[in-house]
Amino acid sequence: MTPQRALHILGAVELTTLACLLLNLVTVHHRTISAILGPVHGLAYTATIIAAVLLADGRKRVWLSALVPGFGGLLAARAVDPAHH
């Protein structure tokens, strides 16, 4: 697995957990779901930022993209992918 692929997966997990948290909030608002998904989302968000910083290679656009909550990891993965440069 390439580092770019790992960043893409982390970004997808971050976006999925955020979507599930928001869906839970506007529907049943079950505390157990929030208690499980909240830390998972926080960990995915933090791991995405760390991975983007490690892969940035001096490009500010990569790690700054990762700071966007939700879909920032996917933006960073796209920015770090050499096929898009």
Side-chain angles (χ1 to χ4, degrees), residues 13-14 16-25 30-45:
V13 169
E14 177 195 356
T16 302
T17 55
L18 179 62
C20 290
L21 278 169
L22 293 175
L23 184 64
N24 179 49
L25 184 66
H30 200 280
R31 290 185 185 268
T32 306
I33 294 173
S34 297
I36 294 170
L37 287 179
V40 172
H41 172 68
L43 180 63
Y45 181 62

Side-chain angles (χ1 to χ4, degrees), residues 8-72:
H8 183 80
I9 291 170
L10 284 170
V13 169
E14 177 195 356
L15 179 60
T16 302
T17 55
L18 179 62
C20 290
L21 278 169
L22 293 175
L23 184 64
N24 179 49
L25 184 66
V26 298
T27 58
V28 295
H29 194 44
H30 200 280
R31 290 185 185 268
T32 306
I33 294 173
S34 297
I36 294 170
L37 287 179
V40 172
H41 172 68
L43 180 63
Y45 181 62
T46 304
T48 300
I49 293 171
I50 291 170
V53 168
L54 292 174
L55 291 173
D57 196 31
R59 295 173 289 180
K60 287 184 181 180
R61 180 177 158 214
V62 174
W63 65 267
L64 285 175
S65 298
L67 294 176
V68 177
F71 57 91

